Amino acid sequence: MAWRTGDHSQAAAGGLKEKVLTLDTMNPCVRKVEYAVRGPIVLRALELEQELRQGVKKPFTEVIRANIGDAQAMGQMPITFLRQVLALCVHPDLLNSPDFPDDAKRRAERILQACGGHSLGAYSISSGTQLIREDVARYIERRDGGIPADPNNIFLSTGASDAIVTLLKLLVAGEGRTRTGVLIPIPQYPLYSAALAELNAVQVDYYLDEERAWALDVAELRRALLQARDHCRPRALCIINPGNPTGQVQTRECIEAVIRFAFEEGLFLLADEVYQDNVYAEGSQFHSFKKVLTEMGPPYATRQELASFHSVSKGYMGECGFRGGYVEVVNMDAAVQQQMQKLRSVRLCPPTPGQVLLDVAVSPPAPSDPSFAQFQAELGLAPDMFFCLRLLEETGICVVPGSGFGQREGTYHFRMTILPPMEKLRPLLETLSQFHAKFTREYS
């Protein structure tokens, strides 16, 4: 029976009108989303915190948030130089204050010159401020031993998570048995399962080997891929290196094997490298997928598609709340990259404060800068200790920091002892000279 206008009014007045949006009518993909690091356990933790504030007695006095990688919530102090540059950018009147070091002021002025209207409150371009993308490219080149990075292939983002979801949106297509499948590690960071559920893609699990310190086995990748092809079309392989939550660091040999596997099976590689600054285990070393891919040469270096992600949320920065990150794409189809740019433009731009912190993180103070000593001290290393560690790691030469013997404030030295045979002196000094020149180029 047709409803008249008066009938609608009576139904509404009588409380019969149903809500447009209910659990039954909402997007079913959203209902499938689960995000363990902020799930029901965390909601209960919030309730317990409220009860503690109200004086309710518990067998503990505080809730310790160990559910998510939020360093500053756990007491890590911000790095002074990062916050100084950010403060100067947010409130440029502080540039006249004597309380800020000159290098922080120079850095802030340089960034503000690159902003619309010389203000951090202006939108940047959708891919991020050009100057900052160029600084990120230079950082990647230094990290990877001189392998070039193109700023046009770098997109700044609202943390790494935002960039990861953007890539997944580009990859997901098809229905039924042609739906996109994405291989993800188990254990995984729940962003991946949540995003795939929201996008109605197929989660393809591959298991890390707990008995071998959570190692990645290409045979396990192949098993997962072959099984998945019965019900979906796998198109991407996600690697989290260093692992989250497992903490393993992949060897170069493992990365090469993964790249060969992805190339042979026609998979787009997603390299989540957010924890690259958190490598502590003896004998472990971070190798970026971009570096290994390039050094493998053709056809891998010229044809294998790769997106690698990083952010300021982890590492020594720990600036989770400012949401700064980036993605670098390699060998992406040019037309698809234009579509990616379009997709990013819908969100206007990443938060500009996060872009500032990213810029400072990828280009920290140089040894000649006034802020260098405090910056290194806050990282836990004095400047001379930092130099000696780099010297040892890159040349095998072991010397002692001058701080152990005493030195004038603002100067840095090292001590070396040379005993016979003296014929080793010249090559040793040549190596030291070459390293000193390289070190100065990188940090000045």
Side-chain angles (χ1 to χ4, degrees), residues 252-266:
R252 182 188 175 95
E253 293 73 23
C254 179
I255 293 173
E256 289 180 357
V258 169
I259 290 172
R260 283 191 289 269
F261 171 80
F263 182 82
E264 293 163 3
E265 299 295 346

Side-chain angles (χ1 to χ4, degrees), residues 132-196:
I132 298 175
R133 288 161 55 224
E134 291 171 357
D135 287 345
V136 171
R138 281 188 282 270
Y139 157 77
I140 293 171
E141 290 182 10
R142 291 196 306 272
R143 181 198 68 186
D144 292 344
I147 292 172
D150 185 348
N152 294 317
N153 293 334
I154 294 167
F155 296 79
L156 308 190
S157 56
T158 308
S161 300
D162 174 45
I164 291 167
V165 172
T166 295
L167 264 295
L168 291 175
K169 286 179 178 178
L170 293 171
L171 283 160
V172 172
E175 297 179 355
R177 294 185 63 181
T178 66
R179 272 199 307 163
T180 293
V182 179
L183 280 77
I184 67 171
I186 301 296
Q188 51 118 10
Y189 182 62
L191 164 69
Y192 293 96
S193 55
L196 293 174

Side-chain angles (χ1 to χ4, degrees), residues 147-148 153 252 255-256 259-260 262-264 269 289-306 328-332:
I147 292 172
N153 293 334
R252 182 188 175 95
I255 293 173
E256 289 180 357
I259 290 172
R260 283 191 289 269
F263 182 82
E264 293 163 3
L269 269 174
F289 267 75
K290 159 83 175 296
K291 182 176 191 290
V292 176
L293 175 65
T294 304
E295 292 178 344
M296 288 174 71
Y300 309 103
T302 54
R303 291 169 55 191
Q304 176 60 49
E305 296 155 281
L306 168 69
E328 181 188 21
V329 295
V330 178
N331 293 326
M332 177 177 273

